[in-house]
Amino acid sequence: MALFEDRDVVAPAPRRRLPRSAVAGIWAVTVALAALLALTVLPTSFVIQQAGPVFNTLGTAQNADKEEVPLISIKGAETYPTAGSLDLLTVQVVGNRERTPSWFELATAWFDPSRAVIPIDQVFPAGETTEQRNEQSAAMMVDSQKEATAAALTSLGYDVKPVVRVYALTDDSPSEGLLEPDDVIRRADGKEITDVSELRKAINDAAGAPVALDVDRDGKAVSVKVTPAHANVDGETSWVVGITAMHDYTFPIDVTIQLDNVGGPSAGMMFALGIIDTLTEGELNGGLDVAGTGTIDAAGTVGPIGGIRQKMYGAVRAGADYFLAPEKNCGEVVGHVPSGLRVFSVATLDDSLAVLSALRDNGDLDALPTCRS
């Protein structure tokens, strides 16, 4: 017996259409997901700056063997115990030319006052690799430590002597076999040399004639004669002896600064303050937590730095109550000081010492320079 007659047809139920609002919602979600995917994977031309590690110049840091050692150690002079902190601040860069942050990461950073979105060319110039940038940054750190040591010791009355040191010889150098890296050039044709510009002038004054150089090499006096060659220097033809020379100093005591994996010149002022505090009795900062930033030269001039807004947030997170800011950075400071941080404007090492003196002696802080609009 048949269950259905031939004329019986079972028709499918009619499909229900989704309401227009539901269709619109699905499309909205689809577009949003596609946009989110694009924001995640599309390349950008920006990087993010944010607060990096904070180091107390009166404390310790890890050396290459991951051992904790004094950040500043001194031999050849009496040192004294310290308290509180004199923090140097760093900035981390998120991203590089090999891997830029996503648009989603940039959007998140844009609304965070402790971070900054900046064009990648400002940090990684076109044609420069990350490795080259790191090498330059490391060299600037070494120079800043020397300048800071010179500024600190000069402030304390030590006799600091500027010198010109041979860093390297160029290819096909006229000085090949005569000068060596790390030689200190004391005199050129009998004239005392304390600056690279003085050496350059002495070589050009010789007009191609051999130049007599008196050199210190491994503690021994050496005299050589180098015949200059013609070369193009900064677009001009000049006489050269084929060396890369650098400004350096000889110090009466041995100051060692241990800080690996940090580059740039911006810690100079805090290095100088840490050295002075280590070499003087009592607590330079009154035992308080003070942070700061700024380049410094041997004369004690404090210069501007990058990323100061991020560094102020780093200071707060490290527990600092007071912040020393380069005077020339004040335009970036005004209106961006994190809650709980008091900022003082400094243009010289003496200005910084005056702030610390007022903090230590409960002086009139309102009389000190600050950043104003």
Side-chain angles (χ1 to χ4, degrees):
M1 182 175 66
L3 294 176
F4 299 104
E5 295 184 17
D6 290 343
R7 66 177 179 272
D8 292 332
V9 177
V10 180
R15 297 180 60 185
R16 296 178 59 190
R17 292 187 177 182
L18 291 173
R20 290 185 178 181
S21 58
V23 173
I26 292 173
W27 275 108
V29 171
T30 303
V31 171
L33 289 174
L36 181 61
L37 179 62
L39 290 175
T40 303
V41 301
L42 287 179
T44 68
S45 57
F46 299 89
V47 293
I48 299 169
Q49 278 188 340
Q50 62 187 24
V54 177
F55 300 91
N56 179 11
T57 60
L58 306 178
T60 62
Q62 286 190 347
N63 62 14
D65 297 323
K66 305 300 181 182
E67 300 170 333
E68 288 291 328
V69 298
L71 195 148
I72 295 174
S73 57
I74 298 174
K75 295 179 181 179
E78 186 173 6
T79 59
Y80 301 89
T82 60
S85 62
L86 290 172
D87 289 335
L88 68 86
L89 307 152
T90 67
V91 170
Q92 285 183 330
V93 177
V94 179
N96 52 44
R97 288 198 175 275
E98 288 74 35
R99 190 273 180 193
T100 59
S102 68
W103 287 105
F104 181 77
E105 291 173 302
L106 295 177
T108 302
W110 186 266
F111 295 101
D112 184 347
S114 70
R115 307 169 81 194
V117 176
I118 58 176
I120 194 169
D121 287 342
Q122 289 187 17
V123 181
F124 301 96
E128 180 181 89
T129 66
T130 301
E131 182 179 0
Q132 289 172 328
R133 177 181 179 274
N134 291 340
E135 289 176 355
Q136 293 174 3
S137 185
M140 287 189 287
M141 169 59 78
V142 172
D143 288 342
S144 77
Q145 293 176 358
K146 293 177 180 178
E147 296 290 328
T149 302
L153 296 187
T154 298
S155 176
L156 292 172
Y158 285 91
D159 184 18
V160 175
K161 297 180 179 179
V163 298
V164 173
R165 190 180 302 274
V166 177
Y167 179 73
L169 273 64
T170 63
D171 294 336
D172 300 322
S173 170
S175 297
E176 185 70 39
L178 299 171
L179 295 176
E180 298 178 3
D182 212 34
D183 282 352
V184 174
I185 300 175
R186 296 294 188 184
R187 283 171 294 278
D189 284 338
K191 298 178 182 177
E192 185 177 7
I193 299 296
T194 60
D195 188 85
V196 175
S197 62
E198 294 174 346
L199 175 61
R200 189 177 296 118
K201 183 177 184 303
I203 294 169
N204 278 287
D205 285 349
V211 179
L213 300 176
D214 296 326
V215 173
D216 283 351
R217 180 179 300 159
D218 297 328
K220 298 179 180 180
V222 177
S223 295
V224 299
K225 281 192 175 184
V226 181
T227 302
H230 256 134
N232 188 289
V233 179
D234 297 329
E236 296 182 2
T237 301
S238 180
W239 294 101
V240 300
V241 293
I243 63 171
T244 301
M246 59 185 295
H247 192 67
D248 205 348
Y249 302 92
T250 56
F251 300 121
I253 61 176
D254 183 15
V255 178
T256 301
I257 298 176
Q258 174 65 54
L259 193 60
D260 288 342
N261 300 320
V262 176
S266 66
M269 181 184 70
M270 299 311 293
F271 285 147
L273 293 175
I275 293 168
I276 292 173
D277 201 359
T278 303
L279 286 168
T280 53
E281 195 169 2
E283 297 157 353
L284 196 64
N285 55 7
L288 300 173
D289 295 320
V290 181
T293 186
T295 66
I296 202 165
D297 62 20
T301 303
V302 175
I305 51 82
I308 193 164
R309 296 179 188 175
Q310 290 70 54
K311 289 179 179 179
M312 288 192 292
Y313 279 94
V316 170
R317 292 171 186 170
D321 300 308
Y322 306 97
F323 188 90
L324 306 176
E327 181 183 63
K328 292 184 178 179
N329 279 119
C330 275
E332 302 168 79
V333 170
V334 174
H336 300 280
V337 179
S339 176
L341 190 67
R342 186 160 187 176
V343 177
F344 300 99
S345 169
V346 297
T348 66
L349 180 59
D350 286 343
D351 290 344
S352 300
L353 292 171
V355 173
L356 296 181
S357 176
L359 292 173
R360 181 182 65 245
D361 301 332
N362 295 316
D364 184 5
L365 300 185
D366 292 334
L368 297 171
T370 187
C371 292
R372 302 183 186 278
S373 57

